Amino acid sequence: KDIPHTAIGGCHYPHDDWTNVSTKMLSYVGRNIHLQNNHPLSLIRQRIVQFFHKTFIGRTGNAVFSVYDNLNPIVTVEENFDSLLIPVDHPSRKKSDCYYLNQNHLLRAHTTAHQARLMSMGLNNFLIVGDVYRRDEIDSTHYPVFHQVDAVRLRTAQDLFPLDASILSVFDKGVERTEETQEHYNKEISCLMINEMKKTLEMMASELFGKDVKTRWVSAYFPFTHPSFELEILHHDKWMEVLGCGLIEQKILKTAGAVNHIGWAFGLGLERLAMHLYEIPDIRLFWSEDLGFLSQFNVEDPRTPIKYKPVSIYPPCSNDISFWLPQDAPFASNDFYDLVRNIGGDLIEQVNLIDEFTSPKKKMTSHCYRIVYRHMERTLTQEEVNVIHKDIEKTAVNELKVTIR
Ligand code: PHE
């Protein structure tokens, strides 16, 4: 009973000589920054999901794709590798590349780890979004935790040709495996699926990067798809890889019980897209809880263009101010914001209304604002912030007729 183990999410994973996951790495499990309001990764996630929802609409106007964005990142070796036909001696399985809980469980190295199980549940169109874990060097574009989106789309001959009863199957006997297609699949149907996949993914690239984006296809290799491709986009005169995709190996479909189907899949990394879209210079910033970073992504519409402005490396200092609004004069928050800017200048990084309430007895409304002060070149002292803060209070009383609480 006292064997060393990792306890997480109500499960116990006994240690063995594969165990290499640290407490630090486990602390990322459940953070779910891809689901955090106004986080850059969440904005791109929403844009991709919205794109799939509007592109694939069912007979009754419903969205065809279902979304799985909160699956447990602890998966079995079978899910992460075997179910995807990744050979036993494949380098991506190495202890030096993955975070293993033990010989049977690891932190998923890609969101593709869930595709076989979701297909065997009978799903034909779905998206998977989540955190993935890989041991890698650490620099401005690599972090041991990042986020991926995967999609799967499966079709039968009946889905493809509902009005043509003569086409009963996606299969065709005697077809050999070539560069262009898998064995057994009808060539035209295979071509149709690859075209739908490529068109869809090009449209998704235009949706994210603008309609003038230049794209190109490069052939690729994945053990779980054939043929396989990578989509690249031209960004600042350099070709950048954005995703991998391909026709799913029929053996995977067969094992999952999707025996009459042909399908395509793709996977992409969200951080890389976000860094290019928003000009975020360092991948560590995605883990920042600093309002100077997060507030820049505080938008209603995830399609709002945003260009990230670097935040000072010096610490912020925040002070709150609470006051009763004037009873016989109008009050606009924007007037207060201007006043704060006028007095605090560039030391003001943020002003947020954090509380608002109306006293039923006094029939008065009070506002509480949090003001975040930060100098771009040095650390501010609490004393100097207090002087400015007092000045803001005094001026608000005089000019806006508020009463400090
Ligand atoms: N899982 C692959 C990766 O992490 C991406 C991929 C997904 C490729 C699905 C093809 C199909 O790089």
Side-chain angles (χ1 to χ4, degrees):
K1 27 180 158 42
D2 286 331
I3 27 166
H5 65 273
T6 301
I8 184 166
C11 291
H12 292 254
Y13 302 90
H15 292 177
D16 58 26
D17 49 5
W18 278 82
T19 308
N20 65 357
V21 62
S22 60
T23 324
K24 168 80 181 152
M25 288 314 298
L26 290 168
S27 74
Y28 290 103
V29 173
R31 280 282 298 273
N32 287 340
I33 55 173
H34 63 291
L35 302 177
Q36 185 181 321
N37 253 336
N38 302 318
H39 192 282
L41 298 179
S42 176
L43 297 179
I44 303 190
R45 167 186 61 84
Q46 291 174 64
R47 290 178 68 183
I48 293 172
V49 168
Q50 281 171 11
F51 168 77
F52 272 84
H53 281 172
K54 77 169 188 226
T55 306
F56 297 97
I57 296 171
R59 247 183 314 112
T60 53
N62 56 306
V64 167
F65 275 76
S66 44
V67 182
Y68 295 83
D69 56 18
N70 202 2
L71 297 174
N72 188 352
I74 299 174
V75 298
T76 59
V77 168
E78 136 78 22
E79 290 172 294
N80 199 85
F81 301 111
D82 301 298
S83 77
L84 294 167
L85 313 176
I86 298 173
V88 182
D89 57 359
H90 198 273
S92 65
R93 294 195 186 225
K94 286 206 307 256
K95 225 176 124 174
S96 61
D97 285 46
C98 297
Y99 292 101
Y100 283 92
L101 284 104
N102 55 35
Q103 58 180 337
N104 298 318
H105 290 91
L106 72 159
L107 296 174
R108 65 185 164 212
H110 54 180
T111 38
T112 321
H114 302 285
Q115 96 167 200
R117 194 166 51 88
L118 292 173
M119 293 190 309
S120 64
M121 286 166 57
L123 295 165
N124 290 334
N125 298 277
F126 56 87
L127 291 159
I128 310 162
V129 193
D131 36 331
V132 300
Y133 299 77
R134 290 187 199 173
R135 303 184 67 190
D136 211 332
E137 56 206 292
I138 294 204
D139 62 26
S140 68
T141 60
H142 290 89
Y143 200 77
V145 195
F146 59 101
H147 295 77
Q148 288 187 325
V149 177
D150 263 60
V152 165
R153 174 158 172 84
L154 305 186
R155 316 225 66 199
T156 62
Q158 281 66 41
D159 295 334
L160 290 164
F161 308 104
L163 298 177
D164 188 346
S166 70
I167 302 171
L168 287 171
S169 164
V170 295
F171 299 107
D172 196 347
K173 283 209 187 71
V175 179
E176 305 268 305
R177 173 169 291 233
T178 63
E179 292 263 301
E180 281 84 45
T181 179
Q182 289 175 37
E183 61 275 29
H184 313 317
Y185 277 137
N186 172 295
K187 270 214 179 110
E188 280 75 36
I189 290 183
S190 173
C191 213
L192 206 75
M193 288 301 284
I194 294 171
N195 282 338
E196 181 191 71
M197 171 179 81
K198 286 187 170 175
K199 266 272 142 331
T200 303
L201 299 175
E202 285 166 14
M203 275 161 58
M204 181 176 75
S206 315
E207 179 84 11
L208 294 172
F209 290 93
K211 62 177 177 5
D212 296 326
V213 71
K214 295 260 179 308
T215 58
R216 74 176 185 193
W217 288 100
V218 181
S219 67
Y221 172 79
F222 302 104
F224 33 95
T225 51
H226 182 80
S228 305
F229 308 90
E230 274 165 6
L231 178 64
E232 297 188 337
I233 63 163
L234 194 60
H235 198 265
H236 296 317
D237 295 329
K238 283 233 288 274
W239 288 102
M240 171 180 100
E241 180 208 319
V242 291
L243 60 85
C245 65
L247 273 196
I248 303 168
E249 283 286 354
Q250 202 259 324
K251 190 173 171 201
I252 299 175
L253 301 187
K254 206 168 98 189
T255 310
V259 285
N260 300 314
H261 298 70
I262 183 168
W264 53 263
F266 87 87
L268 62 74
L270 283 177
E271 274 81 354
R272 188 205 300 250
L273 290 190
M275 289 177 83
H276 282 83
L277 264 176
Y278 304 130
E279 300 181 33
I280 296 171
D282 191 308
I283 196 165
R284 287 172 307 170
L285 284 164
F286 292 106
W287 298 92
S288 169
E289 287 171 353
D290 190 313
L291 279 178
F293 175 76
L294 291 172
S295 68
Q296 298 193 32
F297 301 93
N298 191 348
V299 290
E300 289 268 320
D301 182 348
R303 284 167 308 179
T304 311
I306 297 167
K307 187 182 168 316
Y308 170 72
K309 288 179 233 51
V311 188
S312 164
I313 54 169
Y314 297 93
C317 198
S318 62
N319 280 21
D320 295 349
I321 177 169
S322 300
F323 48 69
W324 295 106
L325 305 193
Q327 271 180 303
D328 38 18
F331 175 87
S333 296
N334 279 343
D335 292 337
F336 178 66
Y337 299 150
D338 279 340
L339 180 152
V340 175
R341 265 250 174 279
N342 285 343
I343 296 171
D346 281 351
L347 297 183
I348 307 298
E349 187 175 274
Q350 302 272 325
V351 185
N352 291 305
L353 178 60
I354 56 169
D355 192 36
E356 174 169 17
F357 105 104
T358 303
S359 152
K361 261 210 231 107
K362 296 190 189 165
K363 298 239 170 8
M364 278 165 78
T365 299
S366 110
H367 279 185
C368 178
Y369 293 87
R370 176 154 300 160
I371 306 180
V372 181
Y373 299 84
R374 170 149 43 189
H375 200 290
M376 294 295 278
E377 285 89 31
R378 62 183 174 82
T379 301
L380 285 173
T381 65
Q382 188 64 56
E383 287 77 20
E384 61 186 317
V385 167
N386 288 347
V387 173
I388 306 164
H389 201 71
K390 274 267 164 302
D391 196 8
I392 290 172
E393 284 184 355
K394 214 178 71 206
T395 316
V397 170
N398 287 339
E399 293 183 6
L400 303 178
K401 309 293 174 225
V402 301
T403 314
I404 302 293
R405 294 182 60 191

